[in-house]
Every structure is written in structure tokens, then in C-alpha cells.
Amino acid sequence: METWVNQSDTDGFFLLGIFSHSTADLVLFSVVMVVFTVALCGNVLLIFLIYVDPHLHTPMYFFLSQLSLMDLMLVCTNVPKMAANFLSGRKSISFVGCGIQIGLFVCLVGSEGLLLGLMAYDRYVAISHPLHYPILMNQRVCLQITGSSWAFGIIDGLIQMVVVMNFPYCGLRKVNHFFCEMLSLLKLACVDTSLFEKVIFACCVFMLLFPFSIIVASYARILGTVLQMHSAQAWKKALATCSSHLTAVTLFYGAAMFIYLRPRRYRAPSHDKVASIFYTVLTPMLNPLIYSLRNREVMGALRKGLDRCRIGSQH
């Protein structure tokens, strides 16, 4: 930690950002801020609905509330600082602030990836073993699933934050990104970080492919169960149950694999920035929309809430 203390006394880093002050970029910045606001409001609303409506006190919605909490924290980790730097014209971030961004980002992405994988197991139990679902997915199991997801992300985030921030950094300290993204930061290190980058790549492969393997195995079992169903209604119900989760998985894992599993020679900072915007802002906005607009129970809870507000305002 000595390096951290010594470096925190000096200047921090300069984030080059993703937007210039051209008309086109001002429009794009405005779009990103609208998406950020929708993501913020959508996730807060979804957490609130799940908390207040007794009909949504089921394992699936408990997991969904945790997913929304992770998305909420993820958009708040990077976007406010990016917006503040863009609007003020300042591009700086303190050394400690940079470390916190790395730790939170790695923690939340790791936790969300694992939770999405374990949510597939929940869907498998619900469809393949509906009679045993309340027993197999009891409160203790639900807490173990969410607890392990959070613990996995927190440990990974802390380890990577401490290691990365203990490297010595020199030169102009210009990070070619809109937040303290770890791989962009390592390019500024005064020492050879190739071994650590290889370890990080191996960790990313594990963190992405381990939950992804749970998803593939769960959906293979679900497909086997669905093919044995003779009722068209049962088919539709099973597909409706899984479609929202599959959409969320595709968005999250598609962007994450594009950034972290590409060979180094194919990486370009501009591509990484766009992909990062996609899954740090766009995906957290889309998740509550996917799970609410395509879900009768959530829409029902929303209608009931709006009716209560209407009745209350009339009195």
C-alpha cells in the first residue's frame, strides 16, 4: 500500500473522455444523459415495486431486485464523473478516485455476470421442477445465490484495485477512456505489466465463461423439458419466462466478451469506449424495460401503484 500512499499525494489522472465539443458529440452526450436518467429511474422504480408488492416477493423477483441494484450502482460509478468532466471542461480524476472507480466497476460487473448465470438455474428449476420449486429455491438458497454473487464481485474488485493501483505510473497520465478502465490505465504504468495482463485475461475468461456455462447447461435442460411438453400454452409460458432473461444475458455477455476476450492486436480504444457505453449505460437502462414491459406481474404492480396515487390525489 506504500505505492498507493506515495502516488495519492501527487496529481491523479486525466480522462480523455469519449466526447468532444462538436455539435454531433453534444447530441450524443445528451442522448447518453437521457439514457442514464431512464436507467436511474427505471431501476429505482423496479426495486420499489418489488419491495412494496407482495405478489412480487418470489425468488425470481428477489434476484431481479438485486440485478437492478447492481445496474443502479454501475451507472452511478462512471457516468456522473464523465458528465461533470465534460460539462466543466476539467478532465482530471484523483488517484484514490480512480482506484475506487476500478474497484466498483470490476466488483459490479463480476457480481452481475455471476448473478445472471445463477438466475438461469432459477429458471431451470421453475420450468423443469415446478412442484419442488418452493423447496429447491427457498429463502436460504436465494440468499446464498445473491450473497455468493456479491462476495465474488467484491473480492475480485478489491484484489484488482489494490494490484493495479500499486503499479508506479509516470508520464502525462492521460487515460484514453471516459473512466478509469483498468486495461487503459495499465498502458501508463512505468513497469512491465504483461504478466499481470495475462492473469487478468485468464480471470476474465473464467468470470465470463463460468457463469455462461451455467446459462448454457440450464437452458439445455430447459429446452429438453419444453420439447417434452404437449401443451401449446405450456410452451408459451416457458418461453415467456425465459425470454427476458435471455435478452438481458445476450446484451451483457455480448458487450463484455467483445471488450475482454478479443486478442490484443484487434483492440482499439474507440471500439472499447463505445462498447463500455453500451454495457455501463445502455444495458442498465434496458434491463428494467425488458423485465417490466414483457412481464404481466410487474406491469400489474405498476398499474396498482399508479391507481393508488390517482386515488390519493383525488382525496
Side-chain angles (χ1 to χ4, degrees):
M1 294 296 289
E2 188 180 342
T3 309
W4 188 315
V5 173
N6 290 340
Q7 295 203 70
S8 63
D9 292 333
T10 65
D11 291 334
F13 298 94
F14 292 94
L15 302 172
L16 296 183
I18 190 170
F19 302 114
S20 65
H21 285 274
S22 66
T23 306
D25 276 1
L26 283 170
V27 171
L28 287 173
F29 173 75
S30 302
V31 170
V32 168
M33 293 315 296
V34 169
V35 171
F36 168 72
T37 306
V38 174
L40 211 61
C41 297
N43 284 293
V44 168
L45 180 61
L46 195 54
I47 292 168
F48 176 74
L49 287 174
I50 292 169
Y51 179 75
V52 300
D53 195 311
H55 294 101
L56 301 181
H57 293 175
T58 63
M60 185 180 84
Y61 292 110
F62 174 67
F63 296 141
L64 185 53
S65 70
Q66 294 298 303
L67 187 69
S68 286
L69 180 60
M70 291 170 185
D71 280 337
L72 192 60
M73 292 175 69
L74 188 60
V75 294
C76 292
T77 297
N78 302 328
V79 179
K81 180 61 179 172
M82 177 198 76
N85 281 3
F86 178 79
L87 294 171
S88 67
R90 294 172 64 247
K91 296 191 174 186
S92 61
I93 185 170
S94 68
F95 189 86
V96 173
C98 190
I100 291 169
Q101 268 198 349
I102 288 175
L104 283 173
F105 180 77
V106 173
C107 162
L108 293 165
V109 170
S111 297
E112 186 164 338
L114 184 56
L115 183 61
L116 280 169
L118 295 171
M119 283 172 74
Y121 172 74
D122 170 68
R123 293 300 80 214
Y124 156 68
V125 176
I127 292 168
S128 301
H129 305 284
L131 298 177
H132 298 104
Y133 183 73
I135 299 165
L136 293 172
M137 296 302 295
N138 57 47
Q139 188 180 33
R140 183 164 160 267
V141 172
C142 292
L143 290 173
Q144 285 175 342
I145 285 174
T146 53
S148 61
S149 298
W150 279 107
F152 176 77
I154 289 167
I155 292 167
D156 187 42
L158 281 172
I159 291 170
Q160 293 197 34
M161 176 184 70
V162 170
V163 173
V164 171
M165 301 315 288
N166 271 286
F167 283 125
Y169 294 94
C170 48
L172 297 175
R173 294 189 171 197
K174 291 183 178 179
V175 182
N176 194 5
H177 218 292
F178 63 88
F179 68 99
C180 276
E181 198 268 335
M182 184 174 54
L183 296 177
S184 301
L185 195 66
L186 287 175
K187 293 175 183 175
L188 307 179
C190 304
V191 294
D192 181 21
T193 61
S194 56
L195 178 61
F196 179 68
E197 287 181 51
K198 286 173 185 173
V199 172
I200 290 297
F201 180 77
C203 287
C204 288
V205 170
F206 174 76
M207 285 175 64
L208 289 169
L209 295 188
F210 172 63
F212 195 70
S213 65
I214 297 173
I215 293 166
V216 171
S218 297
Y219 277 104
R221 292 289 189 91
I222 288 170
L223 184 61
T225 303
V226 169
L227 290 174
Q228 292 173 6
M229 294 176 178
H230 302 294
S231 164
Q233 191 66 30
W235 267 72
K236 285 181 183 177
K237 189 176 179 181
L239 289 172
T241 303
C242 298
S243 59
S244 297
H245 179 255
L246 275 173
T247 307
V249 164
T250 304
L251 290 169
F252 180 85
Y253 279 94
M257 287 180 175
F258 176 79
I259 291 179
Y260 295 108
L261 298 189
R262 277 180 304 157
R264 194 172 183 176
R265 62 181 176 276
Y266 294 119
R267 288 180 189 161
S270 57
H271 296 163
D272 287 347
K273 289 179 191 178
V274 173
S276 293
I277 281 281
F278 186 85
Y279 82 93
T280 58
V281 188
L282 193 63
T283 302
M285 180 204 75
L286 291 173
N287 278 346
L289 295 177
I290 290 164
Y291 278 102
S292 58
L293 295 176
R294 302 177 67 174
N295 190 300
R296 289 179 185 175
E297 290 171 316
V298 174
M299 292 305 290
L302 181 59
R303 275 192 292 270
K304 278 193 286 184
L306 291 172
D307 288 341
R308 283 198 205 107
C309 291
R310 200 178 298 118
I311 292 166
S313 63
Q314 286 172 357
H315 289 295

